[in-house]
């Protein structure tokens, strides 16, 4: 299987989604750039819901909308993330596994990301891929395009940009809310360029 | 990064605005720790005299914000001040229990709640505290047992039925969750949100009978919301599309689906167009077409569904 590389845009949006709704379960999908062949490049992420996670109607509608969006922009849905409000297990939920199965019908290397608070008070991003018929934890799967992506997230969160993130739930409340988060994208790219540059200039010294 | 901040600065607000915001958060039970803490701290540091007796409500609000932010020592300082003012208050004991929980002292918290409940078994707030604690620590069976027993006494407590429904949904016990929403609809039949959520649960369970019930409640939700609920309209479209493709659905029902879909299409198109205008008006002019992309893609997906439902 090719390596999975997360762009800062994708990872930042996912983290900000959790920050915006800290006491609620959140989920969303990862979009991969179909033009990139040497690796699975996750160029973007669509945060979906922060309530009613295991209910089908709006979830199905959201997935269809995102699929249509992907088709128009030469992207594909490559993964699904969830962050439950109450941690019952270190493995993905039944619902996540079902979504993963559906995603694998269109993209065989589809993965799951199960994000939970651990006993040591660390927020863990746990990737799972399906091998030998079951979903197993795959530590090596998490690669970041920018090693300082978490600094980007911290900067944005400090300035409360987490509150600007719109997920599909927000769009359902009011159609003017942009689930593609176009305006937030510019801010994320700007801050990410700064954190990447800062580290490089330190290394150069 | 100056000028790029998206926060609300309390120093820019008048005392009246600060107080109004804090009151609104308390009334609505809004849980936005960072903002509450920032505004509340500023208000307490600069206007404690003007707040008068309201300062105790604000201190309690700050306590909760601190717990959410994980600054338990600061929470304790607020709790001490409240306890000094109200030494025998049950409300204060609840806060002590919450702090125990936040510090991970679950055994102490459980002991405190059970002791208070033994003294006063009818204390609803204390029962809810214990139920929440069980729920948050994975003791789902205890939480459900206690909540069901609580609801036998307090049959009309919306919050508790909603909580029980959420627990059932998280365990994929959809039929039991549906029962909770049925109770909520009986208590409050004009609340479109309950009809909407019930329709979603019935849809999730699946099967022609459940889809028909779902359709009925989506219609009711749409009607009660004055045809303005996006979820009800979109849900109606989705469920009608599903029914149209199913065996065992009568011709009469299929005709009804077709008519409902046409009706929903009309309402949704108006809403989409209105949203597009609103976004174009408020967005920067140079990027106008792209800004409404997310609305266009939503409309396209829905139209594809709508067009597929034929007589």
């Amino acid at each position: 299987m090719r390596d999975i590389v997360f762009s800062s845009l994708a990872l930042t949006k996912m983290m900000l989604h959790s920050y915006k709704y800290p006491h609620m379960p959140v989920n969303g999908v990862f979009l991969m750039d179909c033009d990139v062949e040497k690796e699975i490049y996750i160029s973007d992420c669509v945060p979906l819901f922060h309530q009613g996670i295991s209910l089908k109607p709006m979830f199905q509608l959201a997935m269809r909308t995102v699929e249509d969006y992907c088709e128009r922009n030469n992207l594909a849905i490559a993964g699904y993330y969830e962050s439950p409000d109450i941690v019952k297990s270190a493995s993905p939920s039944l619902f996540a596994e079902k979504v993963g199965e559906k995603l694998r019908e269109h993209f065989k290397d589809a993965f799951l990301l199960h994000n939970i608070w651990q006993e040591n008070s660390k927020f863990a991003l746990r990737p799972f891929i399906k091998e030998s018929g079951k979903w197993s934890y795959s530590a090596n799967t998490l690669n970041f395009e920018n090693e300082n992506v978490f600094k980007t997230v911290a900067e944005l969160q400090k300035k409360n940009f987490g509150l600007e993130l719109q997920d599909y739930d927000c769009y359902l409340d009011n159609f003017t809310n942009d689930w593609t988060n176009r305006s937030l994208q510019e801010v994320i790219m700007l801050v990410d360029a700064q954190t990447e540059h800062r580290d490089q200039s330190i290394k150069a010294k | 990064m100056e000028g790029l901040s998206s926060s609300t600065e309390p120093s820019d607000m008048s005392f009246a605005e600060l107080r109004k915001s804090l009151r609104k958060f308390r009334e609505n039970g809004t849980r936005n720790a960072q903002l509450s803490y920032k505004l509340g701290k500023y208000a307490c540091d600069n206007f404690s005299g003007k707040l008068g007796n309201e300062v105790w409500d604000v201190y309690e609000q700050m306590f909760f914000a601190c717990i959410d932010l994980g600054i338990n020592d600061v929470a304790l300082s607020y709790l001490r001040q409240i306890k000094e003012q109200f030494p025998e208050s049950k409300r204060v004991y609840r806060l002590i229990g919450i702090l125990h929980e936040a510090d991970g002292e679950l055994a102490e918290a459980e002991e405190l709640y059970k002791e208070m409940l033994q003294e006063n078994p009818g204390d609803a707030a204390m029962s809810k505290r214990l139920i929440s604690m069980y729920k948050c620590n994975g003791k789902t069976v205890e939480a459900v047992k206690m909540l069901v027993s609580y609801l036998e006494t307090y049959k009309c407590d919306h919050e508790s039925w909603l909580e029980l429904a959420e627990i059932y949904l998280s365990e994929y016990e959809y039929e039991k969750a549906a029962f909770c929403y049925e109770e909520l609809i009986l208590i409050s039949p004009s609340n479109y949100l309950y009809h909407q959520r019930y329709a979603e649960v019935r849809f999730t369970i699946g099967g022609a009978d459940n889809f028909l019930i779902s359709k009925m409640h989506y219609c009711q939700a749409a009607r009660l919301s004055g045809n303005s609920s996006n979820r009800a309209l979109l849900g109606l479209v989705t469920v009608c599309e599903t029914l149209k493709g199913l065996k065992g659905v009568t011709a009469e029902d299929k005709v009804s689906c077709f008519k409902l879909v046409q009706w929903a299409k009309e309402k949704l198109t108006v809403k989409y167009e209105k949203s597009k205008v609103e976004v174009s008006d408020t967005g920067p002019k140079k990027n106008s077409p792209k800004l409404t992309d997310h609305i266009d893609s939503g409309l396209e997906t829905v139209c594809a569904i709508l067009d597929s439902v034929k007589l």
Side-chain angles (χ1 to χ4, degrees), chain A residues 23-24, chain B residues 19-32 36 61 64 159 162:
Chain A
H23 55 290
M24 294 164 119
Chain B
R19 188 176 57 180
K20 190 167 157 205
S21 297
L22 289 168
R23 274 183 186 166
K24 204 166 77 154
F25 294 155
R26 287 201 302 275
E27 265 167 39
N28 296 338
T30 320
R31 199 169 162 177
N32 51 0
S36 291
Q61 207 174 354
F64 285 121
E159 195 183 59
L162 281 170

Side-chain angles (χ1 to χ4, degrees), chain B residues 237 265 269 272 297-309:
Chain B
V237 164
K265 178 176 185 168
T269 314
Y272 278 122
S297 55
L299 182 55
E300 270 179 51
T301 310
V302 172
C303 282
I305 303 175
L306 293 166
D307 293 337
S308 74
V309 179

Side-chain angles (χ1 to χ4, degrees), chain A residues 51 72 88 161 169 173, chain B residues 4 171 197 230-231 297:
Chain A
Q51 52 80 42
R72 275 195 306 276
K88 292 187 185 167
F161 277 102
D169 239 341
D173 287 334
Chain B
L4 273 183
E171 298 285 319
R197 185 43 75 93
N230 293 341
R231 277 169 226 262
S297 55

Side-chain angles (χ1 to χ4, degrees), chain B residues 128-244:
Chain B
K128 287 182 183 180
R129 224 21 275 149
L130 189 51
I131 292 167
S132 300
M133 205 189 77
Y134 284 145
K135 178 188 162 187
C136 291
N137 295 296
K139 295 189 176 176
T140 318
V141 174
E142 284 91 331
V144 168
K145 200 163 135 198
M146 206 170 153
L147 196 41
V148 167
S149 146
Y150 171 87
L151 280 165
E152 274 167 15
T153 316
Y154 298 95
K155 288 184 173 41
C156 292
D157 187 341
H158 293 236
E159 195 183 59
S160 301
W161 280 114
L162 281 170
E163 193 59 54
L164 186 57
E166 294 246 346
I167 298 179
Y168 282 141
L169 284 177
S170 72
E171 298 285 319
Y172 309 110
E173 296 268 21
Y174 295 114
E175 283 287 354
K176 292 186 179 163
F179 176 80
C180 295
Y181 290 116
E182 282 165 2
E183 290 292 320
L184 282 163
I185 291 172
L186 284 172
I187 297 170
S188 193
S190 57
N191 185 336
Y192 78 91
L193 294 168
Y194 296 153
H195 289 278
Q196 203 167 272
R197 185 43 75 93
Y198 182 60
E200 288 182 334
V201 177
R202 282 285 168 210
F203 185 108
T204 308
I205 300 174
D209 290 337
N210 285 307
F211 288 133
L212 287 168
I213 297 174
S214 179
K215 171 167 86 78
M216 196 159 60
H217 285 272
Y218 269 132
C219 286
Q220 185 71 328
R223 193 174 73 88
L224 288 169
S225 71
N227 306 328
S228 73
S229 166
N230 293 341
R231 277 169 226 262
L233 293 170
L234 290 167
L236 192 55
V237 164
T238 317
V239 82
C240 286
E241 184 209 22
T242 312
L243 276 168
K244 160 241 160 205

Side-chain angles (χ1 to χ4, degrees), chain A residues 51 54 56 64 68 72 88 93-95 157 160-161 164 169 171-173 175-178 182, chain B residues 4 6-7 34 169-172 174 197 204 230-231 241 272 275 293-295 297-298 300-301 305:
Chain A
Q51 52 80 42
S54 55
K56 282 195 196 155
R64 283 162 88 164
D68 286 347
R72 275 195 306 276
K88 292 187 185 167
S93 66
L94 277 172
F95 186 80
Q157 178 53 18
N160 289 319
F161 277 102
E164 305 264 297
D169 239 341
Y171 168 73
L172 289 174
D173 287 334
F175 288 144
T176 59
N177 290 329
D178 182 7
R182 207 176 306 277
Chain B
L4 273 183
S6 140
S7 48
Q34 277 184 308
L169 284 177
S170 72
E171 298 285 319
Y172 309 110
Y174 295 114
R197 185 43 75 93
T204 308
N230 293 341
R231 277 169 226 262
E241 184 209 22
Y272 278 122
S275 305
D293 247 6
H294 67 282
I295 303 175
S297 55
E300 270 179 51
T301 310
I305 303 175

Side-chain angles (χ1 to χ4, degrees), chain A residues 125-190:
Chain A
L125 310 183
R126 295 170 56 81
F128 284 79
I129 53 177
K130 191 148 192 193
E131 26 187 44
S132 327
K134 64 184 196 86
W135 290 96
S136 24
Y137 176 59
S138 163
N140 305 325
T141 311
L142 222 51
N143 300 304
F144 307 123
E145 194 182 23
N146 173 8
E147 291 296 321
N148 294 330
V149 63
F150 292 104
K151 290 201 180 119
T152 308
V153 177
E155 285 264 358
L156 288 163
Q157 178 53 18
K158 246 185 354 200
K159 296 275 178 181
N160 289 319
F161 277 102
L163 299 173
E164 305 264 297
L165 188 86
Q166 306 293 342
D167 59 8
Y168 198 81
D169 239 341
C170 298
Y171 168 73
L172 289 174
D173 287 334
N174 184 342
F175 288 144
T176 59
N177 290 329
D178 182 7
W179 55 266
T180 61
N181 291 290
R182 207 176 306 277
S183 47
L184 192 58
Q185 183 169 333
E186 293 175 18
V187 179
I188 294 176
M189 305 299 260
L190 178 68

Side-chain angles (χ1 to χ4, degrees), chain A residues 7-195:
Chain A
S7 68
S8 298
L9 180 66
L11 207 76
T12 308
K13 279 190 189 173
M14 179 191 80
M15 296 296 296
L16 290 179
H17 196 203
S18 278
Y19 271 121
K20 188 177 179 192
Y21 303 105
H23 55 290
M24 294 164 119
V26 291
N27 67 357
V29 288
F30 289 113
L31 307 184
M32 116 184 148
D33 188 342
C34 294
D35 288 332
V36 177
E37 290 190 355
K38 70 172 170 90
E39 65 209 358
I40 300 172
Y41 178 63
I42 306 296
S43 59
D44 203 352
C45 137
V46 179
L48 291 176
F49 296 98
H50 54 268
Q51 52 80 42
I53 299 278
S54 55
L55 295 172
K56 282 195 196 155
M58 292 299 112
F59 183 77
Q60 284 180 355
L61 190 67
M63 290 300 272
R64 283 162 88 164
T65 314
V66 175
E67 274 164 13
D68 286 347
Y69 174 81
C70 284
E71 231 179 271
R72 275 195 306 276
N73 294 287
N74 201 22
L75 300 164
I77 305 180
Y80 170 83
Y81 73 86
E82 67 172 3
S83 184
D85 55 340
I86 296 177
V87 183
K88 292 187 185 167
S89 149
S91 302
S93 66
L94 277 172
F95 186 80
E97 287 191 358
K98 286 213 170 106
V99 174
E101 287 306 323
K102 270 262 133 173
L103 293 182
R104 276 167 54 88
E105 283 172 18
H106 301 285
F107 177 58
K108 67 169 176 54
D109 293 328
F111 62 92
L112 300 177
L113 206 57
H114 186 63
N115 304 335
I116 52 171
W117 282 103
Q118 294 186 306
E119 293 286 330
N120 56 6
S121 297
K122 284 213 179 296
F123 189 64
L125 310 183
R126 295 170 56 81
F128 284 79
I129 53 177
K130 191 148 192 193
E131 26 187 44
S132 327
K134 64 184 196 86
W135 290 96
S136 24
Y137 176 59
S138 163
N140 305 325
T141 311
L142 222 51
N143 300 304
F144 307 123
E145 194 182 23
N146 173 8
E147 291 296 321
N148 294 330
V149 63
F150 292 104
K151 290 201 180 119
T152 308
V153 177
E155 285 264 358
L156 288 163
Q157 178 53 18
K158 246 185 354 200
K159 296 275 178 181
N160 289 319
F161 277 102
L163 299 173
E164 305 264 297
L165 188 86
Q166 306 293 342
D167 59 8
Y168 198 81
D169 239 341
C170 298
Y171 168 73
L172 289 174
D173 287 334
N174 184 342
F175 288 144
T176 59
N177 290 329
D178 182 7
W179 55 266
T180 61
N181 291 290
R182 207 176 306 277
S183 47
L184 192 58
Q185 183 169 333
E186 293 175 18
V187 179
I188 294 176
M189 305 299 260
L190 178 68
V191 174
D192 193 53
Q194 288 177 349
T195 53

